[in-house]
């Protein structure tokens, strides 16, 4: 069996460099937005469920030095790349190969200040991707409710769970947290006046604050691309290029 061809891609304007399969699941902007929205502080511990090659965790570690980072990844080749990426970015990233439905005993006894995840987006019955690794990363074989339950179990009381997912799954996300956590929701729209396609949901375990739907984050300027370039809004550029924080708690108090 031949080794998959890899690319080494830059995130946060080169602050993070990550190896990932050329033809498999490839991290893009979603894990960067996810990392930006985690309200972590130096010395806290963070668990990423389904960490892939580690882009979200490494972007978070680049913004907040001094975190204790742990990842869980089902696919052995992606877990190996996450470890490699952690080492090459100078981040002590403990990546555990395993299924979030049957975590190793050492993880089942731990509680984290933050749990983050970018769960698979696509339904189990959807068409298969040509690359097996990409298909497994994107297909929801483990129900979303189990992702949420696992995240809640691994979070300390008062800790935070931050997820990014499709906007159409927002009802399922909120149902999973109902009665167990308070939630802020930020929608991500590609352009102004267009429907949001992604949402970031941040839940605080055990809190009873009112639900907050925040003003949407618009990613691109104008109505369409008018040439080469990304045409990010100032806010999106600060998050994706400069490593700025996206503080949902502060937005909720504005």
């Amino acid at each position: 069996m031949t080794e998959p061809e890899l690319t080494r891609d830059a995130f946060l304007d080169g602050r993070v460099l990550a190896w990932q399969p050329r033809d498999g699941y490839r991290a893009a902007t979603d894990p960067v937005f996810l990392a930006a929205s985690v309200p972590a502080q130096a010395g806290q511990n963070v668990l990423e469920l389904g960490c892939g090659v580690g882009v979200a965790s490494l972007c978070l570690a680049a913004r907040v030095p001094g975190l204790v980072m742990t990842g869980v990844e089902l696919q052995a080749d992606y877990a190996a790349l996450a470890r490699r990426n952690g080492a090459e970015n100078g981040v002590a990233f403990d990546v555990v190969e395993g299924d979030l439905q049957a975590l190793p005993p050492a993880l089942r006894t731990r509680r984290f200040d933050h749990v983050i995840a970018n769960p698979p987006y696509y339904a189990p019955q959807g068409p298969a991707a040509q690359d097996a690794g990409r298909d497994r990363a994107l297909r929801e074989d483990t129900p979303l409710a189990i992702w949420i339950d696992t995240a809640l179990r691994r979070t300390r009381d008062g800790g935070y769970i931050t997820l990014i997912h499709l906007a159409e799954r927002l009802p399922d996300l909120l149902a999973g947290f109902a009665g167990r956590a308070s939630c802020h929701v930020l929608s991500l729209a590609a352009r102004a006046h267009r429907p949001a396609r992604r949402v970031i949901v941040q839940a605080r375990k055990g809190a009873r604050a009112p639900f907050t739907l925040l003003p949407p984050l618009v990613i691109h300027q104008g109505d369409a691309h008018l040439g080469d370039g990304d045409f990010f809004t100032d806010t999106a550029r600060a998050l994706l290029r400069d490593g700025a924080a996206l503080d949902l708690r502060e937005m909720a108090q504005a």
Side-chain angles (χ1 to χ4, degrees):
M1 183 177 179
T2 59
E3 292 292 325
E5 186 176 357
L6 303 177
T7 62
R8 196 181 193 206
D9 301 299
F11 299 87
L12 300 182
D13 216 18
R15 293 173 179 83
V16 171
L17 297 173
W19 294 100
Q20 50 185 346
R22 182 181 294 279
D23 298 321
Y25 169 74
R26 294 178 58 78
T29 59
D30 284 359
V32 186
F33 283 126
L34 173 63
S37 63
V38 180
Q41 299 178 5
Q44 292 186 322
N45 55 18
V46 180
L47 172 66
E48 182 177 2
L49 300 176
C51 67
V53 302
V55 171
S57 287
L58 296 178
C59 287
L60 175 56
R63 178 170 63 83
V64 187
L67 296 173
V68 180
M69 308 298 301
T70 303
V72 176
E73 172 53 43
L74 180 63
Q75 300 191 70
D77 49 351
Y78 286 81
L81 285 173
R83 295 186 193 101
R84 178 181 178 182
N85 289 332
E88 294 188 9
N89 284 274
V91 175
F93 188 24
D94 179 20
V95 180
V96 178
E97 182 187 335
D99 189 335
L100 63 87
Q101 296 185 83
L103 293 175
L107 280 183
R108 292 203 301 269
T109 60
R110 293 179 63 186
R111 297 292 183 273
F112 294 81
D113 299 299
H114 299 273
V115 176
I116 68 174
N118 181 183
Y121 285 167
Y122 301 116
Q125 66 272 22
Q130 289 186 340
D131 180 85
R134 175 179 171 82
D135 187 75
R136 197 166 194 184
L138 292 175
R139 187 179 302 280
E140 189 185 313
D141 288 333
T142 299
L144 184 56
I146 293 178
W147 284 79
I148 294 171
D149 187 66
T150 301
L152 283 163
R153 289 176 183 274
R154 299 280 63 78
T155 306
R156 67 167 177 81
D157 289 341
Y160 290 88
I161 299 146
T162 308
L163 310 176
I164 188 167
H165 212 296
L166 298 176
E168 65 194 56
R169 300 302 303 276
L170 181 57
D172 299 317
L173 290 161
L174 295 179
F177 288 117
R180 307 165 80 184
S182 63
C183 292
H184 300 319
V185 173
L186 175 70
S187 59
L188 306 179
R191 301 183 187 279
H193 313 302
R194 293 201 187 171
R197 300 300 185 193
R198 302 281 192 269
V199 289
I200 296 173
V201 176
Q202 188 166 92
R204 189 171 190 187
K205 182 177 176 178
R208 295 293 182 264
F211 168 77
T212 307
L213 180 61
L214 302 169
L217 171 64
V218 178
I219 299 171
H220 297 285
Q221 301 179 41
D223 295 328
H225 275 22
L226 300 178
D228 293 336
D230 48 42
F231 296 98
F232 289 130
T233 61
D234 291 344
T235 299
R237 182 177 294 106
L239 299 170
L240 296 172
R241 298 286 186 253
D242 302 334
L246 181 61
D247 194 330
L248 275 61
R249 301 171 303 173
E250 184 177 281
M251 294 172 68
Q253 295 170 2

